[in-house]
Every structure is written in C-alpha cells, then in structure tokens.
Amino acid sequence: MSEHVLELTNVDSGYGEVQVLDDLTLHLDAGEIVCLIGPNGAGKSTVLKTAFGMLTPWKGSVSYHGDEIGGMAPEDIVREGIGFVPQTDNVFGSLTIDENLRMGGVARSSGLDDVIGRLYERFPLLDEKRAANARTLSGGQRQVLAFARALVMEPDVLLIDEPSAGLAPNTADEVFGHVTAVNELDTAILMVEQNAKKGLGISDRGYVLDQGTVAYEDEADELLDNPEVSKLYLGG
C-alpha cells in the first residue's frame, strides 16, 4: 500500500487578501511523479509555495509523512526532507557550480563532500564545469544545477516548478529525462508543468487545477486520453 508522503487537505491559501487556493486537496505517494496542470492563474505554483512554507495556508492541513508542516519555515521544511526547485532565480549566477552545490547543503551537519561527489558522478556535466560560474550555463544546464542543488539535502520529496519553461524542445526533453532520473533515486516528485502533455507523459498521476481547486484527478495516461481534459486543457 502506497504512503502519502505529502498531503494537502482542504487548503485555502493566497497572497495578502487575494485567495488563490480554494478547498484544495491532493496528495503525493512514495516514489511517484505527480504533475499539476491547468490554465494560467489556476493556482499550480501556489500549491508548491504553500507546501514549501513560502505561504501559510489560511485553512486546511499540509502534512509530510503524516506530520503537520503547514506554515513551517522553508529552511525547516528542507531539513524535514522536502526540496524545492523554483521556476526562476533557482541558481546563484555569481557563484561557481561547486559553490552552488555547497550552498544547497548549508543545513547538513555532515557528509557534504560525499553527497556532492555522488552528484558529480550522476551529473557529469556539472563535474566538468564545477569551477565555472553558474551564469555561464545554458538554460537547461542551469536547471540541472538547480536539481542537483536541491538534492544535496537528500530529500525524499522534490517540488519542481515549470522545469521546461523557456527551454527549446530538445533541451526540455533532456530536462524531463533528468526529472525521471531524480525520481529513480526514490525521490517522489510533485511538478508543475506548462507543457501538459510532456509533463503527464513522464508522470504516474496528474491533477488538473482550475480556479484554485482540483477539477480532474486521475492516472496520467487516463488524463491524456480524457477528451474533456484534452479539449479544455491540452489544446486538442
């Protein structure tokens, strides 16, 4: 039986006085990739920010392995075992690749060199360029660095916001390959993706958000084959 590693239950959340999420409930199980899709303004990124403590839920519960984390500070959520790769500003351009990775491990009490060594083995591109400033990397390479930096704390849940945003199709495919590779490290992934077909194509399950709540929930391939979902949200 799968375990809900992350669960949002009846959550209202938003910015200032503007409500975005409305009684939203969803979950992520161990080992899964789950994709959030939907129109702009549906609340997809707000889900990730609420789960990661960047926003405090107005109502409802955010739980990790059954323990309440709603409103906990992001740095404490990282220590609990959840990583976050934001869509923008996800690397420090003025720092080297190696310095970026070490920044990702500032909360580790030990084993930093060992885990970074394993990440260099998994991502040879970063090993080859470890002394280069992150600003010199291409968009796809920066995404790989952002993934690797989030993995320095060895999370079992990774939140990823729009990994293919602004990337050429071939580069986006490479980034999606890295997403599945990260998942194969027994890291459950909750991902927001603008390219709904590509995102669902590498996912186990999906949620379609609309106006801050879940409009559809199903296995990823079932959502891809659902004519109503296709017509309204997949452009076909």
Side-chain angles (χ1 to χ4, degrees), residues 202-223:
I202 65 166
S203 299
D204 299 292
R205 292 189 302 114
Y207 291 92
V208 181
L209 270 58
D210 203 344
Q211 299 184 39
T213 196
V214 174
Y216 294 89
E217 169 193 358
D218 211 331
E219 300 295 316
D221 55 356
E222 293 294 330
L223 288 176

mmCIF file of all heavy atoms in Angstrom, residues 202-223:
data_model
loop_
_atom_site.group_PDB
_atom_site.id
_atom_site.type_symbol
_atom_site.label_atom_id
_atom_site.label_comp_id
_atom_site.label_asym_id
_atom_site.label_seq_id
_atom_site.Cartn_x
_atom_site.Cartn_y
_atom_site.Cartn_z
ATOM 1 N N ILE A 202 5.567 11.817 -18.418
ATOM 2 C CA ILE A 202 6.576 11.188 -17.555
ATOM 3 C C ILE A 202 6.031 10.949 -16.144
ATOM 4 O O ILE A 202 6.775 10.523 -15.250
ATOM 5 C CB ILE A 202 7.858 12.030 -17.461
ATOM 6 C CG1 ILE A 202 7.596 13.376 -16.783
ATOM 7 C CG2 ILE A 202 8.483 12.221 -18.841
ATOM 8 C CD1 ILE A 202 8.858 14.103 -16.360
ATOM 9 N N SER A 203 4.727 11.196 -15.949
ATOM 10 C CA SER A 203 4.155 11.143 -14.604
ATOM 11 C C SER A 203 3.334 9.884 -14.376
ATOM 12 O O SER A 203 2.888 9.227 -15.319
ATOM 13 C CB SER A 203 3.276 12.385 -14.357
ATOM 14 O OG SER A 203 4.036 13.561 -14.447
ATOM 15 N N ASP A 204 3.143 9.572 -13.108
ATOM 16 C CA ASP A 204 2.272 8.460 -12.716
ATOM 17 C C ASP A 204 0.825 8.921 -12.610
ATOM 18 O O ASP A 204 -0.085 8.240 -13.072
ATOM 19 C CB ASP A 204 2.725 7.889 -11.364
ATOM 20 C CG ASP A 204 4.134 7.346 -11.410
ATOM 21 O OD1 ASP A 204 4.335 6.323 -12.096
ATOM 22 O OD2 ASP A 204 5.034 7.947 -10.797
ATOM 23 N N ARG A 205 0.628 10.077 -11.991
ATOM 24 C CA ARG A 205 -0.712 10.630 -11.828
ATOM 25 C C ARG A 205 -0.676 12.119 -12.136
ATOM 26 O O ARG A 205 0.393 12.717 -12.230
ATOM 27 C CB ARG A 205 -1.229 10.435 -10.391
ATOM 28 C CG ARG A 205 -1.519 9.000 -10.001
ATOM 29 C CD ARG A 205 -2.224 8.914 -8.638
ATOM 30 N NE ARG A 205 -1.438 9.545 -7.592
ATOM 31 C CZ ARG A 205 -1.806 10.652 -6.939
ATOM 32 N NH1 ARG A 205 -2.936 11.270 -7.251
ATOM 33 N NH2 ARG A 205 -1.036 11.159 -5.986
ATOM 34 N N GLY A 206 -1.858 12.695 -12.259
ATOM 35 C CA GLY A 206 -1.936 14.116 -12.505
ATOM 36 C C GLY A 206 -3.173 14.727 -11.878
ATOM 37 O O GLY A 206 -4.161 14.037 -11.606
ATOM 38 N N TYR A 207 -3.073 16.016 -11.634
ATOM 39 C CA TYR A 207 -4.211 16.813 -11.183
ATOM 40 C C TYR A 207 -4.373 17.978 -12.150
ATOM 41 O O TYR A 207 -3.385 18.627 -12.519
ATOM 42 C CB TYR A 207 -3.984 17.379 -9.781
ATOM 43 C CG TYR A 207 -3.975 16.362 -8.671
ATOM 44 C CD1 TYR A 207 -2.779 15.780 -8.260
ATOM 45 C CD2 TYR A 207 -5.146 15.995 -8.007
ATOM 46 C CE1 TYR A 207 -2.743 14.864 -7.227
ATOM 47 C CE2 TYR A 207 -5.125 15.074 -6.969
ATOM 48 C CZ TYR A 207 -3.923 14.513 -6.586
ATOM 49 O OH TYR A 207 -3.892 13.592 -5.565
ATOM 50 N N VAL A 208 -5.608 18.244 -12.547
ATOM 51 C CA VAL A 208 -5.919 19.441 -13.322
ATOM 52 C C VAL A 208 -6.522 20.456 -12.369
ATOM 53 O O VAL A 208 -7.551 20.196 -11.744
ATOM 54 C CB VAL A 208 -6.912 19.137 -14.459
ATOM 55 C CG1 VAL A 208 -7.196 20.411 -15.255
ATOM 56 C CG2 VAL A 208 -6.393 18.037 -15.373
ATOM 57 N N LEU A 209 -5.848 21.597 -12.230
ATOM 58 C CA LEU A 209 -6.353 22.654 -11.367
ATOM 59 C C LEU A 209 -7.075 23.701 -12.195
ATOM 60 O O LEU A 209 -6.668 24.010 -13.317
ATOM 61 C CB LEU A 209 -5.203 23.321 -10.605
ATOM 62 C CG LEU A 209 -4.825 22.737 -9.242
ATOM 63 C CD1 LEU A 209 -4.441 21.279 -9.359
ATOM 64 C CD2 LEU A 209 -3.702 23.539 -8.598
ATOM 65 N N ASP A 210 -8.139 24.216 -11.623
ATOM 66 C CA ASP A 210 -8.870 25.307 -12.266
ATOM 67 C C ASP A 210 -9.484 26.147 -11.157
ATOM 68 O O ASP A 210 -10.137 25.611 -10.251
ATOM 69 C CB ASP A 210 -9.951 24.765 -13.199
ATOM 70 C CG ASP A 210 -10.351 25.765 -14.280
ATOM 71 O OD1 ASP A 210 -10.023 26.951 -14.131
ATOM 72 O OD2 ASP A 210 -10.993 25.363 -15.270
ATOM 73 N N GLN A 211 -9.250 27.447 -11.196
ATOM 74 C CA GLN A 211 -9.777 28.384 -10.218
ATOM 75 C C GLN A 211 -9.461 27.950 -8.783
ATOM 76 O O GLN A 211 -10.296 28.031 -7.892
ATOM 77 C CB GLN A 211 -11.282 28.573 -10.414
ATOM 78 C CG GLN A 211 -11.620 29.152 -11.787
ATOM 79 C CD GLN A 211 -13.097 29.425 -11.958
ATOM 80 O OE1 GLN A 211 -13.769 29.869 -11.040
ATOM 81 N NE2 GLN A 211 -13.604 29.147 -13.151
ATOM 82 N N GLY A 212 -8.228 27.466 -8.598
ATOM 83 C CA GLY A 212 -7.737 27.196 -7.255
ATOM 84 C C GLY A 212 -8.172 25.903 -6.629
ATOM 85 O O GLY A 212 -7.920 25.674 -5.435
ATOM 86 N N THR A 213 -8.794 25.024 -7.393
ATOM 87 C CA THR A 213 -9.198 23.745 -6.836
ATOM 88 C C THR A 213 -9.003 22.647 -7.876
ATOM 89 O O THR A 213 -8.669 22.919 -9.039
ATOM 90 C CB THR A 213 -10.664 23.794 -6.352
ATOM 91 O OG1 THR A 213 -10.916 22.682 -5.488
ATOM 92 C CG2 THR A 213 -11.636 23.790 -7.517
ATOM 93 N N VAL A 214 -9.160 21.388 -7.470
ATOM 94 C CA VAL A 214 -8.934 20.268 -8.371
ATOM 95 C C VAL A 214 -10.165 20.034 -9.240
ATOM 96 O O VAL A 214 -11.262 19.764 -8.731
ATOM 97 C CB VAL A 214 -8.591 18.990 -7.578
ATOM 98 C CG1 VAL A 214 -8.499 17.784 -8.515
ATOM 99 C CG2 VAL A 214 -7.268 19.170 -6.823
ATOM 100 N N ALA A 215 -9.982 20.173 -10.555
ATOM 101 C CA ALA A 215 -11.081 19.928 -11.494
ATOM 102 C C ALA A 215 -11.115 18.472 -11.934
ATOM 103 O O ALA A 215 -12.180 17.902 -12.153
ATOM 104 C CB ALA A 215 -10.945 20.844 -12.708
ATOM 105 N N TYR A 216 -9.920 17.863 -12.109
ATOM 106 C CA TYR A 216 -9.814 16.461 -12.501
ATOM 107 C C TYR A 216 -8.624 15.846 -11.779
ATOM 108 O O TYR A 216 -7.608 16.509 -11.539
ATOM 109 C CB TYR A 216 -9.588 16.301 -14.011
ATOM 110 C CG TYR A 216 -10.726 16.744 -14.883
ATOM 111 C CD1 TYR A 216 -10.801 18.063 -15.328
ATOM 112 C CD2 TYR A 216 -11.715 15.849 -15.290
ATOM 113 C CE1 TYR A 216 -11.845 18.492 -16.147
ATOM 114 C CE2 TYR A 216 -12.760 16.264 -16.109
ATOM 115 C CZ TYR A 216 -12.819 17.583 -16.531
ATOM 116 O OH TYR A 216 -13.845 17.991 -17.334
ATOM 117 N N GLU A 217 -8.740 14.567 -11.455
ATOM 118 C CA GLU A 217 -7.643 13.803 -10.861
ATOM 119 C C GLU A 217 -7.697 12.395 -11.441
ATOM 120 O O GLU A 217 -8.755 11.777 -11.493
ATOM 121 C CB GLU A 217 -7.807 13.740 -9.343
ATOM 122 C CG GLU A 217 -6.883 12.758 -8.651
ATOM 123 C CD GLU A 217 -7.272 12.494 -7.195
ATOM 124 O OE1 GLU A 217 -8.238 13.106 -6.715
ATOM 125 O OE2 GLU A 217 -6.609 11.642 -6.570
ATOM 126 N N ASP A 218 -6.538 11.883 -11.917
ATOM 127 C CA ASP A 218 -6.550 10.533 -12.478
ATOM 128 C C ASP A 218 -5.118 10.081 -12.729
ATOM 129 O O ASP A 218 -4.162 10.850 -12.545
ATOM 130 C CB ASP A 218 -7.333 10.501 -13.797
ATOM 131 C CG ASP A 218 -8.032 9.158 -14.034
ATOM 132 O OD1 ASP A 218 -7.520 8.126 -13.550
ATOM 133 O OD2 ASP A 218 -9.078 9.169 -14.712
ATOM 134 N N GLU A 219 -4.994 8.821 -13.160
ATOM 135 C CA GLU A 219 -3.706 8.366 -13.665
ATOM 136 C C GLU A 219 -3.320 9.248 -14.849
ATOM 137 O O GLU A 219 -4.184 9.742 -15.594
ATOM 138 C CB GLU A 219 -3.798 6.904 -14.120
ATOM 139 C CG GLU A 219 -4.205 5.931 -13.026
ATOM 140 C CD GLU A 219 -3.182 5.850 -11.924
ATOM 141 O OE1 GLU A 219 -1.974 5.778 -12.230
ATOM 142 O OE2 GLU A 219 -3.574 5.864 -10.744
ATOM 143 N N ALA A 220 -2.015 9.458 -15.032
ATOM 144 C CA ALA A 220 -1.564 10.395 -16.065
ATOM 145 C C ALA A 220 -2.044 10.001 -17.452
ATOM 146 O O ALA A 220 -2.504 10.848 -18.230
ATOM 147 C CB ALA A 220 -0.047 10.498 -16.034
ATOM 148 N N ASP A 221 -1.963 8.699 -17.782
ATOM 149 C CA ASP A 221 -2.378 8.287 -19.125
ATOM 150 C C ASP A 221 -3.882 8.434 -19.319
ATOM 151 O O ASP A 221 -4.355 8.703 -20.431
ATOM 152 C CB ASP A 221 -1.912 6.858 -19.432
ATOM 153 C CG ASP A 221 -2.372 5.844 -18.407
ATOM 154 O OD1 ASP A 221 -2.989 6.219 -17.390
ATOM 155 O OD2 ASP A 221 -2.118 4.633 -18.622
ATOM 156 N N GLU A 222 -4.647 8.292 -18.232
ATOM 157 C CA GLU A 222 -6.090 8.483 -18.337
ATOM 158 C C GLU A 222 -6.429 9.950 -18.589
ATOM 159 O O GLU A 222 -7.347 10.264 -19.363
ATOM 160 C CB GLU A 222 -6.784 7.995 -17.061
ATOM 161 C CG GLU A 222 -6.701 6.494 -16.838
ATOM 162 C CD GLU A 222 -7.458 5.701 -17.887
ATOM 163 O OE1 GLU A 222 -8.469 6.223 -18.419
ATOM 164 O OE2 GLU A 222 -7.044 4.569 -18.188
ATOM 165 N N LEU A 223 -5.689 10.851 -17.954
ATOM 166 C CA LEU A 223 -5.923 12.271 -18.220
ATOM 167 C C LEU A 223 -5.573 12.622 -19.661
ATOM 168 O O LEU A 223 -6.277 13.404 -20.317
ATOM 169 C CB LEU A 223 -5.095 13.127 -17.260
ATOM 170 C CG LEU A 223 -5.555 13.164 -15.803
ATOM 171 C CD1 LEU A 223 -4.573 13.969 -14.962
ATOM 172 C CD2 LEU A 223 -6.960 13.751 -15.672
#
